[in-house]
Amino acid sequence: MRKLIVTEFISVDGIAEVEKLPGVTWNDEMQRFKEDELADSGAMLLGRTTYEIFAGSWPEETRDFAERFNALPKYVASTSLKVLDWKPAELLTGALPEAVRALKQGSGGNIYVHGSLSIAQQLLRDGLVDRIRLLSYPGAVGQGKPLFPPGEQVPLELISATPFSNGVVALEYAPVMGKA
């Protein structure tokens, strides 16, 4: 069975809006983290906004990472999109939890949710997330869209924590079911 893995860039106060994160220099350690994710990835699950942002930039990239990233199957959760130009891609139909359960039963490597906060939050609530992988940036931003909605408890078990030389920390957690 495939695992569903949420991956986010996040501030230490839990804000997952990339444009609000403190500036750090992208380095080889961060690149390796993303390369490892790509090597483990069999597909992407994206919301409409993230799909449109990615589709607007990734197809133009030509380096090895981009070619492999672009080639991944993309499953898009959207009720407003009708055409997906960034291929291979498929619109999910029906209720998101049931569609994701069916995807997880398939083969072909793990499914990564990149960004797509509302999708990640719903899948966490539905108990469908197997791992959360974070690149935690060194700083609090004070306000913005949090990964974990206010008032919702999400018990997590730390799998690994790796500090990088630029102050970013790579974190991996497993949700602990039934302890909220």
Side-chain angles (χ1 to χ4, degrees):
M1 188 158 105
R2 302 163 101 176
K3 289 182 181 173
L4 183 82
I5 301 166
V6 169
T7 181
E8 302 284 349
F9 297 102
I10 194 166
S11 64
V12 295
D13 58 344
I15 303 303
E17 287 185 76
V18 172
E19 61 277 357
K20 292 187 177 184
L21 294 175
V24 298
T25 301
W26 188 269
N27 66 12
D28 290 342
E29 296 156 306
M30 293 172 74
Q31 187 63 35
R32 271 193 302 281
F33 180 88
K34 291 314 239 179
E35 290 277 350
D36 290 347
E37 283 185 344
L38 183 58
D40 182 56
S41 185
M44 290 184 241
L45 173 57
L46 305 169
R48 178 194 53 81
T49 301
T50 303
Y51 173 83
E52 289 179 332
I53 291 168
F54 283 11
S57 61
W58 278 105
E60 306 305 316
E61 299 293 326
T62 58
R63 296 179 189 225
D64 180 57
F65 183 95
E67 288 177 9
R68 292 181 288 143
F69 194 74
N70 284 324
L72 284 173
K74 298 148 203 58
Y75 299 100
V76 183
S78 174
T79 55
S80 59
L81 285 176
K82 302 300 178 213
V83 176
L84 302 175
D85 295 323
W86 185 34
K87 307 282 185 191
E90 176 183 328
L91 277 170
L92 294 178
T93 58
L96 182 63
E98 287 73 29
V100 170
R101 282 186 190 93
L103 288 176
K104 287 179 72 170
Q105 293 300 318
S107 60
N110 293 322
I111 304 162
Y112 276 76
V113 177
H114 296 271
S116 304
L117 288 177
S118 61
I119 301 295
Q121 290 169 347
Q122 182 177 348
L123 296 174
L124 276 165
R125 278 191 297 276
D126 292 332
L128 292 168
V129 175
D130 298 293
R131 290 285 189 274
I132 300 169
R133 297 188 84 207
L134 306 172
L135 284 177
S136 179
Y137 279 57
V141 296
Q143 64 181 14
K145 294 178 185 174
L147 172 57
F148 303 104
E152 289 189 29
Q153 292 186 3
V154 182
L156 302 171
E157 175 186 345
L158 180 65
I159 304 299
S160 66
T162 306
F164 295 158
S165 60
N166 62 359
V168 170
V169 179
L171 300 162
E172 184 168 356
Y173 294 97
V176 179
M177 302 301 167
K179 290 193 177 182

